[in-house]
Amino acid sequence: MEEGEGVKSSNKPDIRISSPFSWRGDTFPPIIDSETPDHLTRIRDLGIPYIFDIHTHFFPETVMKLIWRWFDNVNWAIGYRMPEAERVERLHHNGIERFTTLNYAHKAGMASSLNDWTYANYKNWKGAVPFGTFYPEEGVLAYVKKAVEEYGFRGFKLHCEVSKLNLNRPELADTFLYLQEKQIPILIHTGTAPLPGEFTGIQFFKPFLETYPNLKIIVAHMGANEISAYASLLDSYPNLALDTTMVFVDFLATGKAADVDAAVSYLETYQNQIYFGSDFPNIPYNLNHPITRFLDLPISDLAKQKILYKNAENLFFK
């Protein structure tokens, strides 16, 4: 059974009920897009022409299917399990006109080929901002330079849990120094949610940040499950930022409800250092849910404008 089937059919149980991750409330948000998402009118009323999603994933189809298999094993429903071109249409349908092409390597010899694949395909995805990845291996600096100087990539993605990656490994020093000099941002999953890894957490991230204080870094999921610890660094490191991916939603894979609620104040205080992210397509609800939940938060219109698109626009196109 394809994962979406269990939530589309009225005579089959919603597989999300068996997820090991918690949810707010007693009902699940819709997993299928509505014909006209209700957030579109709301963002226009706020003077937001479109949404810039800093955290969307694109993998070769064979790799994406393996990733979905992992989600199957934890009853993490994916309504956007559809061909790549249709997934891009779903982004635009929800007002997301610009988005990143995040992927990551979990072993040596994989990152460079992922970069080649992204470069060969991203121009087919209207609105895509190309991101690459890298891994601690021989030749890493050379293919990162190629991605920047030949492919024109605008950023990179690292995943400390999946890649079992210690950011402080000396063989990555030259690569980080190069990206720091070029002011190319890196979006890093370094937090311990939804699952901790050998090298995740603030204890590994903080010495890395101290080593490369001028590196442009975006911490995925606001650093959950240690949001306050990551947010405490924002004042001292103006090039550090967080993304909202899967934080202010009913699905609590990135933290307890109380911790998530406490993080709302950071959106106002650090409105210039926070980006909207969704984790599309690997989300157990439709895109209206994270956008609407964000719009419902008790923060200023200006903060919403900055987080939903202006900050990313300034980062990549200023």
Side-chain angles (χ1 to χ4, degrees):
M1 180 184 75
E2 286 295 301
E3 192 160 38
E5 294 177 7
V7 294
K8 291 177 186 176
S9 176
S10 59
N11 60 0
K12 293 180 180 179
D14 190 327
I15 65 172
R16 295 177 291 180
I17 199 170
S18 300
S19 171
F21 301 105
S22 300
W23 289 79
R24 288 182 189 262
D26 300 322
T27 60
F28 299 119
I31 198 164
I32 305 301
D33 282 331
S34 61
E35 185 174 342
T36 305
D38 58 16
H39 64 262
L40 295 178
T41 299
R42 296 182 66 184
I43 64 170
R44 293 189 189 108
D45 288 345
L46 287 172
I48 297 172
Y50 61 86
I51 295 169
F52 197 134
D53 191 335
I54 200 79
H55 197 132
T56 60
H57 290 288
F58 288 79
F59 283 90
E61 207 65 17
T62 54
V63 180
M64 187 67 91
K65 287 180 178 178
L66 290 173
I67 293 170
W68 286 339
R69 186 179 299 173
W70 183 90
F71 288 114
D72 286 342
N73 291 331
V74 292
N75 290 320
W76 184 310
I78 297 174
Y80 293 107
R81 189 182 298 216
M82 54 187 62
E84 188 176 86
E86 190 173 348
R87 294 200 298 268
V88 174
E89 289 179 5
R90 294 293 89 197
L91 288 167
H92 286 274
H93 177 75
N94 282 279
I96 298 171
E97 296 185 11
R98 282 185 171 163
F99 48 88
T100 54
T101 66
L102 306 186
N103 52 50
Y104 43 83
H106 66 273
K107 61 182 179 180
M110 185 177 178
S112 181
S113 62
L114 282 173
N115 292 347
D116 294 342
W117 176 84
T118 300
Y119 178 65
N121 290 279
Y122 86 90
K123 293 178 183 178
N124 297 323
W125 312 324
K126 183 181 178 183
V129 176
F131 266 54
T133 191
F134 54 92
Y135 193 84
E137 58 190 335
E138 185 176 351
V140 56
L141 178 59
Y143 69 70
V144 166
K145 284 185 174 181
K146 180 180 180 180
V148 173
E149 297 170 16
E150 182 178 334
Y151 290 170
F153 283 9
R154 309 303 297 270
F156 290 84
K157 168 67 187 288
L158 298 175
H159 199 306
C160 295
E161 190 268 319
V162 173
S163 303
K164 298 179 173 60
L165 174 63
N166 185 344
L167 295 168
N168 301 290
R169 290 182 64 163
E171 57 263 56
L172 288 177
D174 288 345
T175 300
F176 287 130
L177 287 170
Y178 169 78
L179 294 173
Q180 180 173 253
E181 178 186 358
K182 293 291 185 180
Q183 287 291 277
I184 303 292
I186 311 176
L187 197 156
I188 308 176
H189 183 131
T190 173
T192 57
L195 296 172
E198 185 178 358
F199 301 111
T200 59
I202 197 72
Q203 73 272 27
F204 293 100
F205 180 76
K206 193 171 181 181
F208 164 72
L209 183 62
E210 292 168 348
T211 303
Y212 309 101
N214 297 313
L215 187 61
K216 285 184 178 292
I217 301 169
I218 303 167
V219 174
H221 312 287
M222 295 185 74
N225 289 305
E226 298 174 289
I227 295 176
S228 62
Y230 284 89
S232 71
L233 300 170
L234 292 171
D235 284 324
S236 300
Y237 297 91
N239 280 340
L240 177 65
L242 314 176
D243 81 29
T244 66
T245 303
M246 296 195 78
V247 177
F248 304 102
V249 294
D250 290 352
F251 188 47
L252 297 173
T254 55
K256 298 177 181 178
D259 294 336
V260 170
D261 293 343
V264 172
S265 63
Y266 300 133
L267 301 177
E268 192 70 46
T269 303
Y270 300 108
Q271 59 187 262
N272 295 318
Q273 291 170 270
I274 298 179
Y275 301 88
F276 173 80
S278 70
D279 230 347
F280 178 88
N282 302 324
I283 50 177
Y285 38 73
N286 70 20
L287 282 164
N288 180 69
H289 179 66
I291 298 169
T292 297
R293 284 292 183 269
F294 178 81
L295 290 170
D296 287 342
L297 294 174
I299 59 175
S300 67
D301 290 352
L302 180 59
K304 292 174 183 177
Q305 291 166 358
K306 289 180 178 179
I307 294 167
L308 283 172
Y309 90 104
K310 280 187 178 179
N311 290 343
E313 279 286 316
N314 290 338
L315 178 64
F316 296 112
F317 301 111
K318 188 174 181 180

